[in-house]
Amino acid sequence: MRQSNPPKTYRVKSFGCQMNVYDGERMAEMLGAKGITPAPEGEEADLVVLNTCHIREKAAEKVYSDIGRLKKPDGSKPLIAVAGCVAQAEGEEIMARAPAVSMVVGPQAYHRLPEMIDKAVAGERATDTDMPEDAKFAALPKRRKVGPSAFLTIQEGCDKFCTYCVVPYTRGAEISRPYSELLREAEGLVECGAREITLLGQNVNAWTGEDDKGRDVGMDGLVKALADLPDLQRIRYTTSHPNDMTDGIIAMHGEVDKLMPYLHLPVQSGSDRVLKAMNRSHTADSYLKLLERFRAVRPDIALSGDFIVGFPGESEAEFEETLQLVDAVRYSQAFSFKYSPRPGTPAATMEDQIALEVMDERLQRLQSALNRDQYAFNQASVGKTCDILVERKGKLAGQWLGKSPWLQSVFFEGDSAIGDMVRVELDEAGPNSLKGRVLESATS
Ligand code: 5AD
Ligand code: SF4
């Protein structure tokens, strides 16, 4: 590796889940603290961080093709760091195959990126895929600039080992960030303008900690403490595991006004045999009963989930059980994927892998059921009055876009600003969004 000039500009490209978006923001803040500024729109940066996702399909190939395309205006390569879950899973191979990459940094080690940049400038390539407990968050700079809706990682990692999933290998064991550190970060987010905070974790509802009086608290205790922040108006959380749901978490949906009526609870399949082979340790019925308990305390709660079609051995009849579960739940939105064998996971070597055409056909049927329910949910919202948190301008002049309490995208026209909470009547529904009419505008 040759020596290079210290980078003046950076770009962080995040792929995949919301936790990667959060990590990308924190890396950008670190680079900012080092005096490096975001590259102007349309111009390649001196330093590019590819914050990668490994959850599905050809993730590594995509990284190599992205690396191949990166070029500064003078034709030279920027300094390249590969971060995220592909870095964790395939770091050594990336270093061997892509000489243009000077830094590989895993999701638990990115607080060390500034030192790695100094080394890279001096011509030294470095890989850091350590998983030190806790160290990362304490080492990150204070939050400075966020939009009205901000993410806050409270829990990371996974001990569940679903047989199809790489997360336990790339993100490591479950850890909960300390209560006081989270309250401080949340206060900082609100000070810089956040009005909504989404708590993030691979198993966010497994979060545990000790409050300031040394008492054990679960995620419900944390949510209640956050609800006391006067300028914070909305709280959400994602992603939960059915087996980590507690009575307290269910109850808080009926108790905490700032907690939005929305729950993302992946189920993956409606077949008990497939769920067992996935090592999900819940059944379709126990999942449905759990949702009923949420509906009992918060009847208007919007439900969302994740699905995988074509898990090894999934029969047509088993797939139809998934469709039956969808019919029973009536999701407001959901995410569905074709099973993708992930190297190193137990399911990747299971017999009876399902043909791509079969997966395509099942995915299409599942998605048309989910789209039908999403549209029906939006149509059933017409006539409701609710608050919209304004997140950005729409494409048309005078148009704004924000989210309803049920996480629907709502367009409206009128005088507004990003971060406003606007009272609207929902008066037209589309499959993916709604139109609202402003009733009154509150200050942010
Ligand atoms: N193939 C397809 N989808 C997967 N997911 C996780 N691993 C895989 C895989 N190997 C999906 C699950 C999970 C979501 C984040 O991604 O539905 O809930
Ligand atoms: Fe992956 Fe299962 Fe853990 Fe979710 S609970 S991150 S799907 S192993």
Side-chain angles (χ1 to χ4, degrees):
M1 220 36 215
R2 274 190 294 128
Q3 295 190 352
S4 53
N5 292 326
K8 293 199 180 81
T9 59
Y10 73 81
R11 185 179 314 283
V12 179
K13 295 187 181 180
S14 289
F15 304 89
C17 68
Q18 289 156 324
M19 194 172 289
N20 255 15
V21 174
Y22 174 88
D23 289 342
E25 286 171 6
R26 307 285 338 239
M27 285 190 258
E29 287 161 358
M30 273 194 306
L31 300 174
K34 207 174 159 51
I36 313 175
T37 55
E41 201 53 51
E43 216 174 90
E44 202 46 281
D46 300 332
L47 166 69
V48 176
V49 181
L50 298 174
N51 190 20
T52 60
C53 170
H54 202 227
I55 200 111
R56 285 175 292 273
E57 311 292 355
K58 307 195 180 92
E61 292 317 309
K62 195 171 163 345
V63 175
Y64 291 116
S65 81
D66 282 349
I67 294 166
R69 272 202 303 269
L70 292 174
K71 225 177 247 142
K72 293 208 286 183
D74 64 1
S76 66
K77 284 271 185 209
L79 277 178
I80 302 173
V82 179
C85 290
V86 179
Q88 189 68 35
E90 306 197 16
E92 278 172 32
E93 208 183 317
I94 295 170
M95 275 298 190
R97 251 183 80 177
V101 172
S102 44
M103 294 157 273
V104 164
V105 63
Q108 304 307 346
Y110 65 73
H111 54 296
R112 298 181 184 149
L113 191 57
E115 298 154 41
M116 295 173 85
I117 295 169
D118 293 338
K119 284 192 190 159
V121 166
E124 223 179 292
R125 301 174 84 203
T127 301
D128 193 340
T129 48
D130 281 0
M131 292 199 178
E133 260 188 44
D134 266 15
K136 175 177 75 186
F137 293 107
L140 297 174
K142 207 169 167 266
R143 317 284 328 242
R144 288 187 195 284
K145 195 171 155 272
V146 289
S149 178
F151 292 134
L152 172 56
T153 294
I154 67 166
Q155 182 279 340
E156 266 192 293
C158 182
D159 300 336
K160 306 288 189 296
F161 290 93
C162 299
T163 53
Y164 51 81
C165 186
V166 282
V167 167
Y169 311 95
T170 57
R171 290 270 171 177
E174 289 182 10
I175 62 132
S176 293
R177 293 181 63 193
Y179 178 90
S180 55
E181 184 182 298
L182 293 171
L183 283 189
R184 265 204 315 276
E185 190 169 328
E187 280 161 11
L189 289 170
V190 174
E191 266 167 38
C192 15
R195 295 293 166 263
E196 171 177 279
I197 293 183
T198 302
L199 307 178
L200 296 181
Q202 267 92 28
N203 291 279
V204 71
N205 57 337
W207 183 88
T208 55
E210 266 183 17
D211 70 7
D212 38 16
K213 297 198 176 67
R215 291 173 300 208
D216 288 344
V217 276
M219 199 195 72
D220 47 323
L222 180 65
V223 166
K224 286 177 185 166
L226 293 173
D228 286 338
L229 296 176
D231 290 333
L232 181 63
Q233 295 175 329
R234 290 178 160 189
I235 303 169
R236 302 181 185 275
Y237 62 94
T238 195
T239 286
S240 296
H241 192 288
N243 291 6
D244 290 322
M245 275 305 175
T246 62
D247 295 347
I249 293 175
I250 298 170
M252 79 177 171
H253 277 271
E255 294 164 5
V256 182
D257 289 343
K258 291 183 182 180
L259 181 65
M260 291 295 102
Y262 181 90
L263 174 69
H264 180 239
L265 194 62
V267 62
Q268 316 298 357
S269 167
S271 150
D272 289 347
R273 195 206 59 82
V274 173
L275 287 169
K276 193 148 191 270
M278 287 175 163
N279 193 30
R280 288 291 295 180
S281 53
H282 60 78
T283 62
D285 192 50
S286 67
Y287 175 84
L288 290 172
K289 289 209 167 90
L290 192 54
L291 294 187
E292 280 318 309
R293 294 179 62 201
F294 279 92
R295 280 193 162 135
V297 295
R298 188 73 214 225
D300 71 333
I301 196 162
L303 298 170
S304 160
D306 288 350
F307 295 88
I308 297 176
V309 300
F311 184 81
E314 184 189 66
S315 68
E316 169 63 23
E318 286 165 345
F319 169 67
E320 283 170 16
E321 290 183 85
T322 300
L323 294 178
Q324 283 156 19
L325 181 136
V326 167
D327 286 348
V329 175
R330 290 167 288 111
Y331 289 95
S332 69
Q333 58 165 283
F335 305 90
S336 48
F337 314 100
K338 283 183 273 190
Y339 168 71
S340 159
R342 304 284 72 210
T345 59
T349 49
M350 283 180 185
E351 281 174 17
D352 207 3
Q353 301 278 325
I354 305 295
L356 194 58
E357 309 83 75
V358 176
M359 288 205 267
D360 280 334
E361 194 259 346
R362 288 184 187 165
L363 187 67
Q364 216 177 30
R365 281 157 70 198
L366 175 60
Q367 289 188 339
S368 70
L370 293 169
N371 291 342
R372 170 203 70 199
D373 291 348
Q374 179 172 333
Y375 195 14
F377 186 89
N378 288 346
Q379 284 170 320
S381 306
V382 172
K384 281 189 186 169
T385 297
C386 66
D387 289 331
I388 303 297
L389 177 61
V390 182
E391 291 183 9
R392 59 180 172 84
K393 285 186 170 168
K395 283 200 184 102
L396 309 176
Q399 193 189 45
W400 298 91
L401 177 64
K403 292 273 167 33
S404 77
W406 306 281
L407 206 67
Q408 297 149 299
S409 293
V410 178
F411 291 92
F412 67 90
E413 277 159 32
D415 257 355
S416 195
I418 291 170
D420 279 356
M421 197 63 90
V422 179
R423 191 126 192 100
V424 304
E425 185 179 309
L426 300 172
D427 57 12
E428 208 182 305
N432 300 309
S433 63
L434 292 112
K435 280 196 187 136
R437 193 167 43 82
V438 179
L439 300 176
E440 61 187 273
S441 185
T443 46
S444 56

